[in-house]
């Protein structure tokens, strides 16, 4: 048997459009609104990127040009990726 999780009731003010969208998304996943919103918040709070991802984010934020991807066809795509590496 799992231990009970302490929960505290709280209230937030959300725009009606956002609330409608959250309800629709929860319904599509066959979940309650509370469960859906709680799981989103848990993902945001507890999922921290690994070091490689953090480095990639920092590199992207510098705005330095990393290269060009050629998506004309698969062969040129693969060649352009190899040139970036």
């Amino acid at each position: 048997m799992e231990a009970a999780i302490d929960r505290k009731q709280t209230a937030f003010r959300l725009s009606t459009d956002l609330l409608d969208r959250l309800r629709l998304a929860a319904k599509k996943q066959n979940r309650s609104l509370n469960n859906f919103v709680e799981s989103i918040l848990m993902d945001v709070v507890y999922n921290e990127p690994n070091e490689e991802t953090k480095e990639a984010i920092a590199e992207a934020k510098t705005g330095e040009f990393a290269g060009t991807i050629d998506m004309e066809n698969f062969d040129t795509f693969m060649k352009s990726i190899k040139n970036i590496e």
Side-chain angles (χ1 to χ4, degrees):
M1 184 173 169
E2 292 184 33
I5 297 173
D6 286 338
R7 298 191 188 280
K8 184 173 183 176
Q9 187 169 346
T10 188
F12 292 96
R13 288 190 181 144
L14 303 173
S15 71
T16 54
D17 182 54
L18 176 59
L19 189 55
D20 290 341
R21 287 172 180 252
L22 288 168
R23 282 189 177 122
L24 181 62
K27 186 175 182 177
K28 285 180 181 178
Q29 292 187 17
N30 197 29
R31 297 163 71 179
S32 70
L33 176 62
N34 186 79
N35 175 267
F36 182 74
V37 171
E38 184 177 14
S39 67
I40 291 171
L41 294 174
M42 294 285 277
D43 283 346
V44 169
V45 172
Y46 290 108
N47 287 337
E48 186 174 331
N50 63 27
E51 288 305 313
E52 183 179 359
T53 303
K54 288 179 184 178
E55 289 172 11
I57 291 169
E59 181 182 326
K61 285 182 177 180
T62 66
E64 292 180 21
F65 184 69
T68 302
I69 301 292
D70 186 344
M71 301 203 33
E72 187 174 326
N73 61 53
F74 184 73
D75 290 332
T76 59
F77 170 72
M78 291 305 292
K79 286 178 186 173
S80 65
I81 289 177
K82 290 178 184 173
N83 290 335
I84 291 173
E85 296 173 356

